[in-house]
Amino acid sequence: MKTPISSMLLVALGSFIGSFGAVFLKLGSEKLRGGLRNILNFQLATGVALYLFSSAFFIFAIRNGELSVLYPLVSLGSVWTLAWSRLIFKEPLTRYKFVGLFLILVGVSFLGIGNS
Amino acid sequence: MSTLASPLRRTLTRNESIALVAFCTLLGAAAQVLMKIGAERLRTVGPQAILSNPLLVLGNWGVMCGLALYGVFTLLLIFALRDGELSVLYPVIALNYVWVTLLSLLIFHETMNPFKLCGITVIVLGVVVLGRGGGR
């Protein structure tokens, strides 16, 4: 079975949207310092909504295509998130983060091959 | 009440927030297993019966427990994100794949192969490297 380009684009787009979900969850999580009653806020609701939206992309994409190709593409979300962590939250990018992320991407690729 | 809320108000260390995300991914994997069990049950019911009576989904314990676990997953993830770095914690969510693979072996009797074993090992190694990195 070949993986159509459309499925790959859907997954890449889904991972991109999902990474913004992570950004909004992080933004909203700050409000929890005031206690659990602040759990309902705009940022957290947006984060959850973006996650649900991104999973719709994955569900449509996974219908046709190989897991060995699509699995690693889902994890691309971590790469986008690394960029937003630097740009928005000014987190330092250390060698550990690059090596750790690289290993995780390799591992997910292996799992994708093992599952297909 | 204030003592009840205190562990949630306290700032978590980096390793604590990584451990919390790791636990979250286990919950997420369990949620996916429950959803699969529930979905298989719904398959025997058939799409027409579900469309004519959508309440069947609400009565499906697999799907409902799966959704509830996802809720807990999200809540705990938010607490971890509050104190930890996004660039460290987000990649750790990939541990979900590891738990799903292991739970599928146990529950659905899926087979292990060298690629899966290699994948699991390398992902765990990646998480360990993220945990050792500098910063708070």
Side-chain angles (χ1 to χ4, degrees):
Chain A
M1 184 169 78
K2 290 281 280 175
T3 307
I5 298 287
S6 59
S7 287
M8 293 187 211
L9 286 177
L10 275 177
V11 172
L13 193 60
S15 75
F16 191 68
I17 294 168
S19 72
F20 282 103
V23 167
F24 275 95
L25 287 188
K26 170 84 179 157
L27 286 171
S29 68
E30 276 301 319
K31 310 213 162 166
L32 287 186
R33 292 197 197 284
L36 198 57
R37 63 172 181 280
N38 300 319
I39 191 78
L40 291 176
N41 64 59
F42 170 75
Q43 284 92 340
L44 288 183
T46 308
V48 171
L50 285 173
Y51 262 122
L52 292 176
F53 191 50
S54 71
S55 28
F57 282 82
F58 297 143
I59 291 167
F60 277 108
I62 222 99
R63 282 184 177 175
N64 37 48
E66 294 155 299
L67 286 180
S68 57
V69 179
L70 298 179
Y71 252 42
L73 283 175
V74 173
S75 315
L76 267 186
S78 304
V79 179
W80 312 129
T81 308
L82 197 67
W84 312 145
S85 308
R86 178 83 194 100
L87 293 172
I88 300 171
F89 302 109
K90 312 290 180 208
E91 294 177 7
L93 296 186
T94 62
R95 199 178 298 147
Y96 287 99
K97 290 180 187 173
F98 283 113
V99 173
L101 178 56
F102 175 73
L103 287 173
I104 287 171
L105 289 178
V106 169
V108 171
S109 306
F110 272 118
L111 270 188
I113 296 169
N115 278 314
S116 54
Chain B
M1 190 62 204
S2 61
T3 49
L4 198 79
S6 63
L8 298 178
R9 285 170 191 260
R10 181 169 71 82
T11 302
L12 302 172
T13 65
R14 195 185 46 187
N15 280 339
E16 279 173 344
S17 43
I18 290 179
L20 186 55
V21 174
F23 177 66
C24 275
T25 58
L26 177 60
L27 289 185
Q32 280 161 290
V33 167
L34 285 168
M35 297 269 247
K36 183 175 162 75
I37 293 171
E40 270 165 12
R41 216 171 248 210
L42 284 179
R43 201 200 323 245
T44 61
V45 176
Q48 260 143 10
I50 295 169
L51 281 177
S52 61
N53 183 12
L55 290 177
L56 277 175
V57 178
L58 292 179
N60 183 296
W61 65 266
V63 172
M64 295 321 282
C65 290
L67 283 177
L69 268 188
Y70 264 126
V72 179
F73 165 90
T74 311
L75 189 66
L76 292 179
L77 182 69
I78 292 166
F79 272 104
L81 282 177
R82 182 190 64 177
D83 299 334
E85 289 181 306
L86 188 59
S87 50
V88 169
L89 297 180
Y90 196 76
V92 176
I93 299 176
L95 276 181
N96 183 48
Y97 291 117
V98 172
W99 298 122
V100 167
T101 306
L102 295 177
L103 286 176
S104 301
L105 291 179
L106 282 172
I107 295 167
F108 304 118
H109 307 291
E110 290 180 9
T111 51
M112 186 50 113
N113 61 45
F115 282 109
K116 287 188 194 176
L117 195 62
C118 202
I120 288 175
T121 314
V122 178
I123 290 174
V124 172
L125 204 64
V127 172
V128 170
V129 171
L130 281 174
R132 304 209 68 165
R136 189 183 64 220

